[in-house]
Amino acid sequence: QSTWDTSLNTSMHPVIAAFAASFLWQLVGFVPSAFQQTERYYDLFGTSTFVLIAIVCLVTSGTAELRQTAIGLAVFLWAARLGSFLVARIHGKIDRRFNGVRDKPAVFAVYWAIQGLWAGVTMLPFALLCGSPLRASPFSTTDFVGLGIAAFGAFIEARADAEKRNFRSNPRNANAFISTGLWSLSRHPNYFGEIVFWWGIWLSTVAGLDREFAAYAVLSPMFVMFLLMRISGVPLLEKHAQRKWGEDPDYLRYVRKTAVLVPFIY
């Protein structure tokens, strides 16, 4: 039978604390953003939410066992890298995701709320782990495999982002699409890497959870997949690319021969 850990040092379970911290942090970011009608803080607050949740979960669990520390460090490194990349990318530019939104506070608030939900659900495996009585169990094969998969996913995402940044920094590529490096294997290798990362994080928590909570925790990578494949990631970029290069024979050939997300498969 699944149980919460009744030995926690605080009355608030890490899962509740994680979602509370996530939404409160979005509120802190939303207020000045709404007044200034700007999206410049959005990605910074989004990625830093993961670090905040990790800290809050560790504090509410009252311990920092090896498994928790290793996963927390992995999340910190991922968030720091992605956050710095996103903030640098949008510096001095307009994010088209917020066109027609930044000057409408009610709609703008929904975007921030969705970001809070994204971070909370995505960090669910770590929050459940921090509240699990099994969190101090010895490292197992699934821990090493999970962290290895997470490292691989983080590397793919970082490499894909770096390739695209370098491509865009060349003035000759101002109106061109990238089809080299990892982008020759997948039209969205950065999203592929992010999905792999969170599947790895989920797997690395399994040995510290009982079977029922491990099943609940799988909501995290499934949610990331759903967002990136159906809502905010791939669909938006595919539509934008189709509008921009839809009549370019080279682009149409690239689309025909290159997987959408998973290299050689899908």
Side-chain angles (χ1 to χ4, degrees):
Q1 182 179 357
S2 301
T3 58
W4 298 119
D5 187 351
T6 57
S7 66
L8 297 179
N9 287 358
T10 69
S11 59
M12 183 176 290
H13 191 277
V15 172
I16 299 173
F19 278 95
S22 184
F23 285 112
L24 285 174
W25 191 233
Q26 303 319 302
L27 181 61
V28 171
F30 167 72
V31 172
S33 297
F35 274 108
Q36 298 176 36
Q37 295 186 2
T38 180
E39 69 274 21
R40 73 167 62 103
Y41 310 123
Y42 189 78
D43 289 327
L44 176 62
F45 272 82
T47 51
S48 63
T49 303
F50 289 85
V51 178
L52 176 64
I53 289 176
I55 294 171
V56 167
C57 287
L58 288 172
V59 170
T60 54
S61 74
T63 61
E65 305 294 345
L66 179 59
R67 180 178 288 109
Q68 292 169 274
T69 303
I71 297 171
L73 179 60
V75 169
F76 171 78
L77 293 174
W78 170 84
R81 200 287 310 172
L82 180 60
S84 60
F85 169 77
L86 293 176
V87 171
R89 184 183 68 175
I90 201 64
H91 181 69
K93 299 176 182 177
I94 298 294
D95 191 334
R96 63 175 176 268
R97 292 177 299 173
F98 298 92
N99 290 344
V101 171
R102 62 180 69 85
D103 58 344
K104 298 175 181 176
V107 181
F108 200 21
V110 172
Y111 277 61
W112 284 84
I114 291 174
Q115 180 163 258
L117 180 66
W118 165 58
V121 174
T122 303
M123 286 293 283
L124 185 59
F126 186 73
L128 286 169
L129 174 67
C130 287
S132 170
L134 302 177
R135 63 184 179 273
S137 59
F139 249 52
S140 68
T141 302
T142 55
D143 291 292
F144 290 107
V145 173
L147 288 171
I149 291 173
F152 173 72
F155 170 77
I156 293 295
E157 184 178 21
R159 176 66 181 271
D161 285 340
E163 289 179 351
K164 193 167 190 178
R165 182 187 62 232
N166 294 336
F167 181 83
R168 290 286 178 226
S169 66
N170 188 335
R172 291 180 299 177
N173 297 326
N175 294 310
F177 61 92
I178 182 172
S179 59
T180 56
L182 293 175
W183 300 84
S184 67
L185 305 176
S186 166
R187 302 208 295 274
H188 304 281
N190 52 335
Y191 293 151
F192 170 66
E194 183 166 341
I195 290 170
V196 170
F197 175 80
W198 288 110
W199 274 108
I201 292 298
W202 167 76
L203 184 61
S204 65
T205 66
V206 167
L209 299 171
D210 65 28
R211 185 172 299 178
E212 183 178 344
F213 284 148
Y216 294 155
V218 81
L219 216 66
S220 163
M222 295 294 290
F223 186 68
V224 171
M225 287 179 64
F226 175 72
L227 279 182
L228 293 180
M229 296 174 67
R230 296 286 180 245
I231 305 296
S232 66
V234 172
L236 291 181
L237 291 180
E238 286 288 303
K239 288 179 182 178
H240 174 73
Q242 188 63 34
R243 286 196 301 268
K244 192 168 185 178
W245 301 296
E247 297 182 2
D248 184 337
D250 290 335
Y251 176 73
L252 295 176
R253 186 161 44 250
Y254 170 69
V255 169
R256 285 196 301 270
K257 72 185 182 95
T258 309
V260 177
L261 188 70
V262 183
F264 311 114
I265 297 176
Y266 169 75

